[in-house]
Amino acid sequence: LTRGRLIGIGIGPGAPGRITLEAVEVIRKADVICTPRSENKEESIAYEIIKRWCTGKRIVAMPYSMAPDHKAREKSWQDHAQTIASSCSEGELVAFVTLGDPGLYSTFAYVAKLVRGIDSQIPVAIVPGVTSVSACAAAIGQSLAQAEETLTIQPCSQVLAKRGVWWRNFDCVVVMKIGRKLPDLVKHLHRLSLLEHTTLVTRAGFGTGTITSGSDLLTCDAQNGYLATMFVRAGVNNETGAKK
Ligand SMILES: C[S@@+](CC[C@H](N)C(=O)[O-])C[C@H]1O[C@@H](n2cnc3c(N)ncnc32)[C@H](O)[C@@H]1O
């Protein structure tokens, strides 16, 4: 590894055992560890996972706003990007840790773009991580796709906005970023008679996870939408799915 660069590190979905050897190696070598956390949370979940390897490191918490105001959100990320760019130009190895993989619905891509916008010479690299999708599929003992099956990953907002029978085109639909929309999502799937093909996995890898399927979803706690991933297997090819 050369010095003076930014590396986005995927640290897996929660269980410390699911961080890769490569991620630990880079964290150990890094001068600065950037840990994103939502402004309304005291702790960064990512930092909790990696702190055992961070003794003596400079930790830079990067709070981000969840406010609907785009301008406020952009301003805070622009400031964080400036902090990262300054460290890199001083020759420091900056590790930006992210839950799961940095390439899947992570703020890393956004931050990296801002940093390159400040200084296009800063080298940027990615250390991939185990995604929450893989961890959740493992928690319910299912494969994501096999043979000729098709798989799609969608944010909850897109699933709620779509009309028609689009899910039939995929053997496995994975829904992420559910949050407070869980009751709406469950109602939507209920209306489409899809609940019998649906499983919700929360907090996979944290040891406090839950698995809820079928009509039990109608009565599950709305809080279960956070750190939750849903699988809908109603496609044409899979053995348990509904037929067209
Ligand atoms: C902002 S995205 C980050 C995804 C992450 N980069 C990855 O590769 O898994 C956050 C979403 O990931 C999913 N997620 C993250 N950790 C999870 C976990 N431990 N169990 C279930 N879903 C999780 C949820 O759908 C959550 O809304």
Side-chain angles (χ1 to χ4, degrees):
L1 288 171
T2 55
R3 311 302 280 177
R5 64 198 322 220
L6 167 64
I7 306 188
I9 304 185
I11 59 167
R18 288 183 177 166
I19 192 168
T20 65
L21 294 175
E22 186 184 8
V24 171
E25 187 193 341
V26 177
I27 289 167
R28 284 195 167 129
K29 284 185 176 157
D31 301 298
V32 182
I33 313 276
C34 301
T35 58
R37 71 166 166 78
S38 165
E39 229 168 36
N40 51 16
K41 296 223 173 78
E42 287 293 309
E43 295 289 340
S44 154
I45 300 174
Y47 179 65
E48 284 306 301
I49 297 168
I50 59 157
K51 64 182 179 190
R52 70 192 69 190
W53 298 292
C54 291
T55 313
K57 308 269 171 209
R58 185 146 58 87
I59 310 295
V60 181
M62 300 207 154
Y64 57 89
S65 164
M66 301 289 277
D69 176 7
H70 280 260
K71 287 242 155 56
R73 294 213 306 243
E74 276 169 30
K75 166 84 175 78
S76 67
W77 281 119
Q78 191 64 50
D79 291 347
H80 296 327
Q82 190 59 62
T83 304
I84 292 170
S86 303
S87 292
C88 291
S89 49
E90 282 163 19
E92 292 186 309
L93 175 60
V94 180
F96 185 98
V97 293
T98 175
L99 277 179
D101 181 82
L104 184 65
Y105 296 129
S106 154
T107 44
F108 180 70
Y110 182 54
V111 171
K113 193 171 164 202
L114 292 177
V115 170
R116 297 297 296 269
I118 295 167
D119 180 351
S120 62
Q121 300 302 306
I122 294 173
V124 177
I126 292 177
V127 173
V130 174
T131 69
S132 53
V133 178
S134 308
C136 291
I140 54 175
Q142 283 191 7
S143 75
L144 287 167
Q146 53 185 311
E148 299 305 308
E149 286 186 349
T150 55
L151 167 71
T152 180
I153 299 176
Q154 311 258 338
C156 180
S157 56
Q158 288 297 314
V159 171
L160 290 175
K162 283 189 176 106
R163 294 282 169 263
V165 291
W166 63 274
W167 63 89
R168 297 276 195 241
N169 297 326
F170 301 97
D171 298 286
C172 182
V173 177
V174 179
V175 188
M176 299 180 73
K177 303 211 281 183
I178 301 168
R180 63 192 163 83
K181 292 285 180 198
L182 179 63
D184 292 347
L185 180 61
V186 170
K187 269 187 228 144
H188 185 72
L189 295 170
H190 186 45
R191 268 197 302 272
L192 298 168
S193 304
L194 287 172
L195 282 187
E196 62 174 309
H197 307 292
T198 301
T199 302
L200 181 75
V201 184
T202 70
R203 302 180 67 82
F206 282 90
T208 54
T210 61
I211 296 172
T212 314
S213 303
S215 57
D216 288 350
L217 287 162
L218 290 167
T219 50
C220 85
D221 189 338
Q223 287 302 315
N224 278 0
Y226 294 93
L227 280 181
T229 296
M230 186 178 264
F231 296 87
V232 185
R233 278 194 157 270
V236 284
N237 294 325
N238 76 70
E239 286 174 15
T240 53
K243 299 295 170 209
K244 229 178 199 169

